[in-house]
Amino acid sequence: MRTTPKLSLLLAGMALSLSALAADADRWTVPVQSKKLSNGLTVLVSEDHSSPTVGVSVVYHVGMRLEPRGRTGFAHLFEHLMFQGTPKAPKGVFDQVITSGGGRNNGSTRADFTNYIETAPVSALDSILWLEADRMKTLDFNPATLKNQQDVVKEEIRVNVKNQPYGGFMWIDIGMLAFNKWENNHDGYGSFADLENANLDDVRAFHRDFYGPNNAVLSIAGDVTPAQGFALAEKYFGGIAKRPVPAGTDFKEGLNTAEKRLEQSDTLAQVPALAAAWKMPDRGSKDQAPMAVLGELLAGGDASRFYQGMVKGRELSLNMNSLYGLTSPWEYDGPTLFTVFTLYKPTTNADAVLAAMDEEIAKVVKDGVDEATLKRIKTSMLASWYNGLESFLSRADTLARLQTLWGDAKVVNQIPDWISAVSSADVQRTAKTYLTRENRSVIDRKPAPKPAPAPAPAAPASAADKKQ
């Protein structure tokens, strides 16, 4: 991801824009119209005239899982190269055009997709679509920009991983431990050697194979009608020829059958930390929504079972967080993890923390969850889901991601039903099936002694000394 302001929500709570409210006042049906161009580009429009702005997202169905072997980190490197200009719009033009009009843009790489997002006044929509179509056609492939972005990504790794306490071990290292296939278990941030070995032929091939219109989704949300959005998409993208996309590899994996444990040391850490991860149900399976509810029950904030049990109750941990790879419980195309990350007190140990987790999980397996708690959790999840769709930028991007992964952006209106339908028995079944010790991978990361400081340089000789 480039230097990024986080997606901010325009309004807090459930204050949805009136124009987007459906007839049923208790239910917001997100408007989505779709059309596929003759070159295979899927175009989505979510009409909403509550603000004279738009959010735009172009999602390509390629990410870390599909980057070439021996080129770890290449999908992320390529994301950066998409901002390095084209023969018609040289380096700097993309950012200048969008930000000078009050807009902003960014991109990010995940396991199964790479997204490019912009938000701006609606008057800039033509320019944004021209720029996105231009870099879908070709890039300015040259050694200088490749070298520059290799250095930028390497520096990003130094800042975010190598020189950072805990170094992202809860999503990089835990995935390398938990998964068995290379597509799923390599370091998507990349090794310096692989990044340096990437060449212009790799860049050209990656753009040719995965960045064609038939491997992409264009999504526009905001002050535009479907007819206007589809016409603009045809105007700027319709002339781009479709390109062959390489056949996908089989990266499916079953659940693990024996616990995996790893201990690491960290010279930058002040207290020990633990990441415990369990392989998730397949996307689209009957257990996906119950798993999302279960994750919220156990580790979704200060009211969760893990927080109340380990941070407040037993006072073993200092904090408690959870994550689903680098996305959400709804946005993955292959194996992914439900990971719990905690900083624990030096007075205890990893086994005690894991035993406390197991105890909370066992309660769910035995007793399920009472109706009042289940209702509270589902209400919280629905509020978060709708809040995340309020900004045009986030809405456009969510729709594009869902279309890419599920093949149907209207899943956006089904997910609330799936959450609402989860029962206590579903949560029990899911906990018993997936949150087992055998399916668990654990990294215990402990502070290591700090390296001795380098000796101070000798004081330079004074001018008088030099004359002697």
Side-chain angles (χ1 to χ4, degrees), residues 16-317:
L16 306 176
S17 56
L18 292 177
S19 62
L21 284 172
D24 182 353
D26 293 330
R27 174 67 184 267
W28 181 30
T29 300
V30 179
V32 189
Q33 296 290 322
S34 66
K35 178 181 181 180
K36 180 166 282 195
L37 304 188
S38 60
N39 60 10
L41 177 69
T42 301
V43 184
L44 308 171
V45 177
S46 182
E47 181 180 5
D48 188 332
H49 302 287
S50 59
S51 165
T53 61
V54 289
V56 176
S57 173
V58 179
V59 169
Y60 293 90
H61 199 175
V62 63
M64 300 167 182
R65 223 189 292 269
L66 290 180
E67 58 195 2
R69 285 179 181 265
R71 294 289 184 271
T72 58
F74 189 81
H76 178 214
L77 171 66
F78 193 87
E79 172 213 316
H80 281 251
L81 290 167
M82 285 286 281
F83 291 91
Q84 295 306 298
T86 72
K88 291 183 178 178
K91 182 178 179 180
V93 169
F94 194 98
D95 290 335
Q96 184 179 7
V97 168
I98 295 173
T99 60
S100 64
R104 58 191 176 101
N105 67 89
N106 214 321
S108 67
T109 308
R110 299 292 185 261
D112 299 302
F113 61 85
T114 306
N115 65 337
Y116 300 91
I117 54 176
E118 298 90 19
T119 187
V122 68
S123 57
L125 182 56
D126 275 72
S127 300
I128 290 172
L129 297 182
W130 185 93
L131 288 164
E132 286 289 5
D134 181 51
R135 64 181 178 179
M136 182 183 285
K137 294 172 189 169
T138 188
L139 296 178
D140 181 12
F141 303 105
N142 69 72
T145 56
L146 176 58
K147 177 64 170 61
N148 175 269
Q149 291 309 302
Q150 286 168 322
D151 291 342
V152 168
V153 172
K154 286 161 57 181
E155 183 60 19
E156 191 174 318
I157 293 172
R158 290 189 188 95
V159 171
N160 293 339
V161 180
K162 293 184 178 296
N163 297 325
Q164 186 74 230
Y166 312 107
F169 85 101
M170 72 294 291
W171 69 271
I172 299 174
D173 299 33
I174 197 71
M176 297 171 72
L177 176 66
F179 294 120
N180 302 312
K181 292 188 175 181
W182 183 88
E183 289 83 354
N184 306 320
N185 71 11
H186 69 272
D187 178 2
Y189 235 143
S191 73
F192 280 15
D194 283 353
L195 288 168
E196 289 165 354
N197 286 334
N199 56 51
L200 287 178
D201 287 341
D202 296 326
V203 177
R204 292 190 185 95
F206 206 69
H207 189 272
R208 177 199 64 215
D209 289 345
F210 296 111
Y211 277 72
N214 44 315
N215 200 43
V217 174
L218 164 67
S219 178
I220 308 168
D223 192 14
V224 61
T225 67
Q228 291 170 329
F230 296 147
L232 289 172
E234 182 65 42
K235 177 181 178 181
Y236 294 112
F237 291 85
I240 305 174
K242 66 169 61 176
R243 306 197 281 265
V245 179
T249 56
D250 179 12
F251 37 69
K252 290 184 179 177
E253 293 188 19
L255 301 183
N256 290 340
T257 56
E259 185 184 38
K260 298 182 178 182
R261 294 282 292 264
L262 179 66
E263 188 171 311
Q264 297 179 329
S265 60
D266 190 334
T267 57
L268 300 175
Q270 299 296 315
V271 296
L274 183 141
W278 297 263
K279 283 184 175 176
M280 291 265 290
D282 292 340
R283 181 180 56 74
S285 73
K286 64 181 175 62
D287 291 334
Q288 187 179 12
M291 185 69 216
V293 173
L294 175 61
E296 189 70 13
L297 170 70
L298 292 176
D302 293 358
S304 68
R305 297 279 179 92
F306 283 173
Y307 188 91
Q308 290 298 317
M310 281 169 272
V311 179
K312 289 289 188 181
R314 302 178 187 213
E315 298 184 350
L316 298 173
S317 292

Side-chain angles (χ1 to χ4, degrees), residues 172-449:
I172 299 174
D173 299 33
I174 197 71
M176 297 171 72
L177 176 66
F179 294 120
N180 302 312
K181 292 188 175 181
W182 183 88
E183 289 83 354
N184 306 320
N185 71 11
H186 69 272
D187 178 2
Y189 235 143
S191 73
F192 280 15
D194 283 353
L195 288 168
E196 289 165 354
N197 286 334
N199 56 51
L200 287 178
D201 287 341
D202 296 326
V203 177
R204 292 190 185 95
F206 206 69
H207 189 272
R208 177 199 64 215
D209 289 345
F210 296 111
Y211 277 72
N214 44 315
N215 200 43
V217 174
L218 164 67
S219 178
I220 308 168
D223 192 14
V224 61
T225 67
Q228 291 170 329
F230 296 147
L232 289 172
E234 182 65 42
K235 177 181 178 181
Y236 294 112
F237 291 85
I240 305 174
K242 66 169 61 176
R243 306 197 281 265
V245 179
T249 56
D250 179 12
F251 37 69
K252 290 184 179 177
E253 293 188 19
L255 301 183
N256 290 340
T257 56
E259 185 184 38
K260 298 182 178 182
R261 294 282 292 264
L262 179 66
E263 188 171 311
Q264 297 179 329
S265 60
D266 190 334
T267 57
L268 300 175
Q270 299 296 315
V271 296
L274 183 141
W278 297 263
K279 283 184 175 176
M280 291 265 290
D282 292 340
R283 181 180 56 74
S285 73
K286 64 181 175 62
D287 291 334
Q288 187 179 12
M291 185 69 216
V293 173
L294 175 61
E296 189 70 13
L297 170 70
L298 292 176
D302 293 358
S304 68
R305 297 279 179 92
F306 283 173
Y307 188 91
Q308 290 298 317
M310 281 169 272
V311 179
K312 289 289 188 181
R314 302 178 187 213
E315 298 184 350
L316 298 173
S317 292
L318 301 171
N319 68 350
M320 189 66 61
N321 294 288
S322 63
L323 59 156
Y324 299 89
L326 285 177
T327 56
S328 75
W330 314 107
E331 297 173 330
Y332 56 95
D333 206 18
T336 194
L337 298 172
F338 166 61
T339 303
V340 175
F341 164 61
T342 179
L343 303 178
Y344 65 88
K345 294 185 176 180
T347 51
T348 186
N349 57 61
D351 285 334
V353 176
L354 290 169
M357 288 185 187
D358 285 342
E359 188 172 311
E360 295 298 335
I361 294 168
K363 291 178 185 175
V364 177
V365 171
K366 179 177 180 292
D367 303 323
V369 52
D370 64 89
E371 285 303 315
T373 301
L374 188 60
K375 182 178 180 181
R376 174 182 59 77
I377 290 169
K378 292 195 285 190
T379 300
S380 173
M381 291 177 70
L382 292 172
S384 296
W385 180 249
Y386 287 124
N387 283 338
L389 295 167
E390 183 61 23
S391 84
F392 292 162
L393 181 60
S394 179
R395 191 188 311 174
D397 195 40
T398 299
L399 293 175
R401 294 180 186 204
L402 295 177
Q403 178 70 40
T404 299
L405 299 174
W406 292 80
D408 184 0
K410 292 182 180 176
V411 164
V412 71
N413 292 318
Q414 299 177 43
I415 287 174
D417 291 336
W418 297 342
I419 294 172
S420 299
V422 171
S423 68
S424 175
D426 293 330
V427 175
Q428 276 181 286
R429 181 190 69 246
T430 307
K432 184 178 181 180
T433 305
Y434 298 93
L435 298 194
T436 65
R437 183 168 182 170
E438 291 76 17
N439 187 39
R440 185 172 67 192
S441 299
V442 177
I443 297 180
D444 183 14
R445 188 135 170 156
K446 296 182 176 178

